[in-house]
Amino acid sequence: MDARRLIPSVERVLQLEAVKSFSQVYGRRLTVEAARQALEQVRQIIVQTGRILEEEEILQRIERHLHTVTTASLLPVINATGVVLHTNLGRAPLSEEAMAAASQVACRYSNLEFDLEQGKRGSRLIHAEKLLCQLIRAEAALVVNNNAAAVLLSLAALANRRKVVIARSQLVEIGGGFRIPDVMRQSGARLLEIGTTNRVNLEDYRSTLEQKPALFLVAHRSNFKILGFTAEPQVAEIAHVAHESGIPLMVDLGSGALLDTAEFGLAHEPTVQEMIESGADLVCFSGDKLMGGPQAGIVVGKRALIEKLRRHPLARAVRADKLALAALSATLLHYLKEEATQKIPIWKMISLPVDEIYRRAWAWTEKLSQLGIKASVIEGTSTIGGGSLPGETLPTHLLAIRTKQPQLFLRKLRENSPPIIARIEQNLVAFDPRTVLADEEAPLLAAIESLREFIL
Ligand SMILES: *Cc1c(COP(=O)(O)O)cnc(C)c1O
């Protein structure tokens, strides 16, 4: 007899009490689909091995299918890499206040585009923008979906079919295929490249004036450095040349620091305020890099220019959503209240004293040692990441574990719930306490304990 005849029908499986209860939890549609898939596997196993699965095994398979399908694919992970702004790990985690602000407007109605005073239609653009102008002392501000959109919109609104001057040393690729020259072309602007790969001077800028460019663009070299025989005028000097001929200067600052990174032992990253003071007419930057807020693209500067951006049809296509606006406003408030280093997670991490990190790493080894697991503390470095401060590091102390196979151990950590992302240093599996949030400590140590068989 053909063994496949022993396979129950989907209808029969659906009659089983256990499957009925799956159906109550997961819904009928997913349960039927899971039963079909499980039975298909049963069929394949019979064909390949001749083995007939027990009912219990079939039920397990159905449940596993249901579990896999209904588990979210976007999950929180523990970042033990020490890379503060990890682009692959969602860049900046939000402050509690920013999260609360977003969740308040998420599941209720809000005055997103309603003027409460006048009782009529308002603008979504006022909420974060008032705070931005106050904080940066800029005339006007506009928030869009991300900084790439801010660059695209600005160029489309100010330089469509016209020339934009940019130094060859700034024709950068940010990552994920985002290349400044491509975005410039996409906006309809024509590139007017000046200088060489390593050097550009004021005369290069001046020599473009007879071609009547629409805009000067300065792009921050976010993710690399050029060293050696290099030259680049100050933004204030470029602004001077631009303004003599009535040409606006835009700075794509990328990371957009609002605090002075030099106060935290890092190189000085030009701040948004400095760029405005230097005479930039527009400055654009990301909300989720060094600002430490939600994904957003922020443009600040001259009112007349921002007005052109607002009125451009692309503005609607790249607008920010209400959750981001709420989180952004709450993040900006931290700066205005001068509590950024106490409240904004990435600034808490960046400003964490190194002996505090040492104490945390030691406390972890103690807890592990009580569980009979050997670990040590080694010196290392944390980085900022997220296309900010290339080559700059902060000293740190790492929890280090000797394992049989470090790569395998990293994989096991990634398979944990929640997944943990660590790194290998000196052939040891290393965890940087700097980027591990306080409430992630217990699950981190529990995960290490659960992998004790792989630890030497
Ligand atoms: C990161 C970056 C961008 C892109 O910003 P997103 O917010 O990721 O869209 C653009 N320009 C520069 C210079 C950057 O560093």
Side-chain angles (χ1 to χ4, degrees):
M1 191 187 80
D2 187 346
R4 278 177 294 186
R5 288 171 156 240
L6 295 171
I7 302 170
S9 67
V10 175
E11 286 68 34
R12 248 197 57 212
V13 169
L14 289 172
Q15 293 310 313
L16 297 171
E17 281 311 312
V19 178
K20 281 186 187 161
S21 67
F22 293 158
S23 188
Q24 278 178 359
V25 176
Y26 296 102
R28 187 175 155 80
R29 175 190 166 151
L30 291 180
T31 308
V32 171
E33 182 57 34
R36 283 217 180 93
Q37 289 193 12
L39 291 176
E40 177 54 35
Q41 289 176 341
V42 172
R43 201 165 291 122
Q44 282 172 9
I45 291 169
I46 292 179
V47 172
Q48 285 161 13
T49 69
R51 192 167 75 89
I52 300 165
L53 295 194
E54 301 287 336
E55 183 176 298
E56 192 50 39
E57 276 181 280
I58 299 176
L59 289 176
Q60 278 172 9
R61 278 169 193 267
I62 294 176
E63 194 169 19
R64 221 180 301 144
H65 277 299
L66 286 166
H67 184 75
T68 311
V69 171
T70 54
T71 301
S73 122
L74 181 57
L75 295 167
V77 306
I78 296 177
N79 174 11
T81 62
V83 182
V84 176
L85 287 169
H86 201 303
T87 297
N88 304 141
L89 303 183
R91 289 199 185 148
L94 295 180
S95 74
E96 273 170 36
E97 289 80 357
M99 189 57 246
S103 85
Q104 272 186 352
V105 300
C107 43
R108 293 177 192 284
Y109 295 106
S110 65
N111 62 338
L112 179 66
E113 292 185 354
F114 188 73
D115 183 333
L116 290 172
E117 209 171 297
Q118 307 280 333
K120 55 182 193 194
R121 187 173 208 279
S123 165
R124 72 171 58 214
L125 301 178
I126 63 161
H127 303 292
E129 287 148 17
K130 269 196 289 196
L131 294 173
L132 277 165
C133 292
Q134 205 177 342
L135 183 63
I136 294 162
R137 296 187 210 288
E139 285 179 17
L142 176 67
V143 181
V144 294
N145 181 58
N146 59 7
N147 191 30
V151 177
L152 181 67
L153 173 63
S154 305
L155 294 174
L158 304 179
N160 188 26
R161 280 186 283 203
R162 295 183 58 202
K163 289 178 177 155
V164 174
V165 173
I166 185 163
R168 289 196 171 83
S169 55
Q170 296 168 7
L171 291 173
V172 302
E173 173 170 329
I174 303 304
F178 177 89
R179 291 178 167 177
I180 293 279
D182 293 341
V183 176
M184 291 176 71
R185 284 187 204 101
Q186 202 61 44
S187 72
R190 300 199 191 125
L191 265 76
L192 189 47
E193 300 173 24
I194 55 170
T196 61
T197 309
N198 53 330
R199 288 171 77 89
V200 62
N201 58 39
L202 278 185
E203 209 33 61
D204 293 320
Y205 281 95
R206 265 196 212 101
S207 69
T208 65
L209 293 174
E210 59 192 23
Q211 299 192 53
K212 304 221 177 319
L215 188 72
F216 280 7
L217 176 63
V218 169
H220 186 50
R221 272 188 293 277
S222 297
N223 49 8
F224 72 106
K225 274 193 205 177
I226 53 173
L227 298 173
F229 187 54
T230 64
E232 202 165 276
Q234 299 285 319
V235 169
E237 297 172 311
I238 302 172
H240 187 72
V241 173
H243 294 163
E244 273 180 344
S245 301
I247 297 166
L249 167 66
M250 168 162 155
V251 178
D252 173 11
L253 202 47
S255 206
L258 297 173
L259 301 180
D260 180 4
T261 46
E263 284 180 23
F264 306 92
L266 295 162
H268 176 72
E269 177 86 352
T271 64
V272 182
Q273 298 92 320
E274 282 166 5
M275 289 297 105
I276 293 286
E277 281 163 21
S278 298
D281 300 287
L282 285 183
V283 181
C284 65
F285 57 100
S286 297
D288 54 354
K289 290 185 181 171
L290 279 176
M291 193 174 125
Q295 177 188 307
I298 298 164
V299 195
V300 293
K302 294 275 157 56
R303 183 169 292 117
L305 298 176
I306 298 272
E307 223 21 73
K308 283 190 185 165
L309 268 54
R310 282 195 182 146
R311 284 200 302 265
H312 192 276
L314 256 186
R316 172 63 183 247
V318 298
R319 72 182 186 180
D321 88 298
K322 60 184 177 181
L323 304 192
L325 289 173
L328 184 66
S329 299
T331 307
L332 290 167
L333 264 183
H334 292 314
Y335 288 97
L336 275 171
K337 291 162 78 180
E338 300 182 304
E339 58 181 24
T341 53
Q342 292 104 57
K343 297 281 192 169
I344 298 177
I346 63 146
W347 284 107
K348 283 205 275 192
M349 293 169 186
I350 292 170
S351 62
L352 207 58
V354 69
D355 28 322
E356 175 63 31
I357 299 178
Y358 183 71
R359 266 197 296 279
R360 264 183 98 185
W362 258 113
W364 292 359
T365 61
E366 301 258 287
K367 284 185 187 159
L368 289 172
S369 137
Q370 280 161 18
L371 300 167
I373 294 169
K374 224 172 80 183
S376 58
V377 177
I378 60 171
E379 287 185 4
T381 53
S382 316
T383 55
I384 305 300
S388 312
L389 295 159
E392 288 289 311
T393 59
L394 291 167
T396 194
H397 294 276
L398 306 163
L399 172 78
I401 296 180
R402 191 168 296 285
T403 63
K404 292 174 188 160
Q405 289 169 282
Q407 288 295 349
L408 176 71
F409 201 84
L410 287 188
R411 179 148 66 84
K412 294 275 173 203
L413 287 168
R414 292 199 301 274
E415 286 166 3
N416 188 63
S417 172
I420 296 166
I421 319 298
R423 60 184 158 118
I424 297 173
E425 281 288 323
Q426 304 161 25
N427 212 28
L428 304 168
V429 176
F431 303 82
D432 190 335
R434 188 188 295 278
T435 50
V436 176
L437 305 177
D439 63 356
E440 292 171 340
E441 192 167 305
L444 174 76
L445 297 179
I448 295 172
E449 188 196 357
S450 75
L451 297 174
R452 67 192 316 149
E453 61 185 297
F454 302 97
I455 297 173
L456 292 172

